[in-house]
Amino acid sequence: MILITGATGLVGSHLALHLIENGESVRAIYRNKASIDKTKSLFNLYQKENLFDKIEWMEADITDVPALETAFENIDYVYHCAALISFDGASEEQLRKVNIEGTANIVNLSVANKIKKLCHVSSIAALGDLAPHESIVTEEIEWNPEKPHSDYAISKYGAEMEIWRGQQEGLQIAIINPGVIIGPGFWEQGSGEIFSAVAKGLHFYTKGFTGFVAVTDVVQLLVKIMKSDPDNSEQAKQINGERFIVIAENIAFREVLNTIAEALKVKNPTLYAPIWMTEIAWRTDWILSTIFRQKTKFSKDTARASHATILYSNEKVKTTLHHEFRDVKEYITEIVALQSKHSK
């Protein structure tokens, strides 16, 4: 049986659907019943609601060890997709608890229960830092603790350290580092907020770029890495102790925003927001959030990431698993069409 953590999120819910469609036995953990509705809505979006009840749901939290012990009974493979994504400065403690402590719990129980393999969904945020002579981020880039990193990046890097510890303790592991994951069904959180912002009339854009990838690619690669690649099964079965950057392409934020706007048939963002403007914006937001005791809407890390111009390489995953990625901009158009059809 397969255990999925984070099955009420974008990647986990798509992974659950993919596995169920392919006849796998899936157990998924959830924190509260309301969160399950997100996954059920996704199955409905794809008109696969008849498959939803095939998931064995179990109430547990990755920070709650006693509940996790029950969830791990009779489990062979674990996909660890659960994580807290936040760039709010007030979330540091919670990020460390969920992403680092929670991952440590998953590793400990995987070792104790002799799990056959653990696949961990990390992030490009946890990758290393370019040295002066380097121009593109690969899996071999080293993390530089002397350089500034967001609390989220630090927590994801810490989570990876727990995964590597698991390997040292005899656990078979693999890590994927996706870029910005694009997919339907979760427009109120994570990368889905990009769609929501454009739909509401986003006016500003920046000139940064980063790696983007379709959620369907992420799911397909997770399964290939966990089990086997039909084209090269022996090699894939031996994947252990490896990490893979999972992006389709490096794309400018403005291109993505314009593609979303065109698909939604709304106005493109037309006002360029230079660095000085976004620096003022996040400070203003911080002051207002402090005064009114609410979460920040535009953090310092988000502001600075929007101007980042870092290139990521996907050569390793393409070469190892012979994977052809979907065109991100075409997929964005498909996402909007799917959402529009469902809302009618």
Side-chain angles (χ1 to χ4, degrees):
M1 177 171 272
I2 295 167
L3 176 66
I4 302 176
T5 73
T8 58
L10 177 62
V11 174
S13 59
H14 277 85
L15 176 61
L17 175 56
H18 179 88
L19 293 172
I20 292 292
E21 282 185 307
N22 285 276
E24 299 285 2
S25 297
V26 175
R27 179 180 295 158
I29 63 173
Y30 69 95
R31 288 180 296 169
N32 54 67
K33 290 186 177 179
S35 64
I36 297 179
D37 291 338
K38 297 177 183 178
T39 304
K40 189 172 185 178
S41 294
L42 182 84
F43 276 57
N44 292 339
L45 185 67
Y46 287 110
Q47 299 182 335
K48 303 284 186 179
E49 53 267 33
N50 61 308
L51 298 177
F52 178 78
D53 291 333
K54 293 188 176 182
I55 300 173
E56 180 186 329
W57 289 98
M58 187 170 291
E59 186 173 4
D61 188 290
I62 61 172
T63 61
D64 180 1
V65 175
L68 278 179
E69 288 176 338
T70 303
F72 265 81
E73 292 179 0
N74 302 315
I75 293 297
D76 298 306
Y77 300 94
V78 177
Y79 290 96
H80 181 35
C81 307
L84 175 62
I85 302 173
S86 176
F87 297 96
D88 185 343
S91 301
E92 179 183 2
E93 183 177 345
Q94 190 66 8
L95 281 166
R96 290 177 180 273
K97 183 172 183 61
V98 173
N99 295 348
I100 301 177
E101 181 183 321
T103 300
N105 293 337
I106 295 297
V107 168
N108 292 340
L109 285 167
S110 294
V111 172
N113 287 275
K114 296 181 171 56
I115 295 301
K116 293 179 181 178
K117 195 168 188 178
L118 167 63
C119 278
H120 172 57
V121 180
S122 187
S123 166
I124 55 172
L127 293 168
D129 304 281
L130 289 171
H133 64 283
E134 296 169 325
S135 60
I136 187 166
V137 176
T138 68
E139 289 83 357
E140 306 304 318
I141 296 292
E142 295 184 3
W143 176 276
N144 185 349
E146 300 301 319
K147 288 195 173 184
H149 301 93
S150 68
D151 292 329
Y152 171 68
I154 292 169
S155 73
K156 293 298 286 184
Y157 176 76
E160 287 192 7
M161 293 302 101
E162 295 296 336
I163 299 294
W164 295 123
R165 172 179 63 81
Q167 186 194 18
Q168 292 175 346
E169 295 179 16
L171 185 65
Q172 286 212 12
I173 64 96
I175 297 173
I176 68 166
N177 296 86
V180 179
I181 304 171
I182 301 295
F186 291 82
W187 284 15
E188 77 287 353
Q189 65 189 64
S191 62
E193 292 180 344
I194 302 172
F195 288 83
S196 298
V198 174
K200 293 174 183 176
L202 182 66
H203 299 296
F204 296 93
Y205 69 90
T206 60
K207 294 182 179 179
F209 53 80
T210 191
F212 288 82
V213 64
V215 67
T216 50
D217 281 316
V218 175
V219 167
Q220 289 167 17
L221 285 167
L222 275 171
V223 174
K224 283 183 178 182
I225 291 167
M226 178 69 88
K227 289 194 168 184
S228 64
D229 175 5
D231 298 325
N232 198 349
S233 59
E234 289 307 314
Q235 182 187 36
K237 284 179 181 177
Q238 296 171 5
I239 291 176
N240 177 35
E242 297 283 351
R243 72 188 310 175
F244 298 93
I245 294 174
V246 175
I247 68 155
E249 53 189 315
N250 296 285
I251 314 175
F253 293 120
R254 189 181 187 186
E255 282 187 60
V256 171
L257 296 177
N258 287 346
T259 303
I260 295 172
E262 288 161 11
L264 289 169
K265 295 181 171 57
V266 298
K267 188 177 180 181
N268 291 359
T270 56
L271 302 176
Y272 170 57
I275 293 176
W276 65 263
M277 185 182 291
T278 53
E279 287 293 303
I280 292 173
W282 77 257
R283 286 177 169 86
T284 302
D285 184 67
W286 179 82
I287 292 170
L288 293 174
S289 64
T290 301
I291 293 173
F292 295 104
R293 296 182 180 181
Q294 60 188 21
K295 287 185 177 181
T296 58
K297 297 173 182 171
F298 189 65
S299 70
K300 175 178 70 173
D301 293 324
T302 302
R304 294 178 179 176
S306 70
H307 295 280
T309 54
I310 301 174
L311 294 171
Y312 297 90
S313 170
N314 61 8
E315 284 305 308
K316 180 179 178 180
V317 74
K318 287 172 65 178
T319 301
T320 304
L321 293 169
H322 314 290
H323 186 77
E324 292 297 326
F325 286 93
R326 299 189 68 169
D327 182 280
V328 170
K329 287 185 278 189
E330 287 181 5
Y331 185 54
I332 287 172
T333 303
E334 291 180 27
I335 291 169
V336 173
L338 181 63
Q339 294 277 173
S340 299
K341 181 180 178 181
H342 184 72
S343 62
K344 290 181 180 179

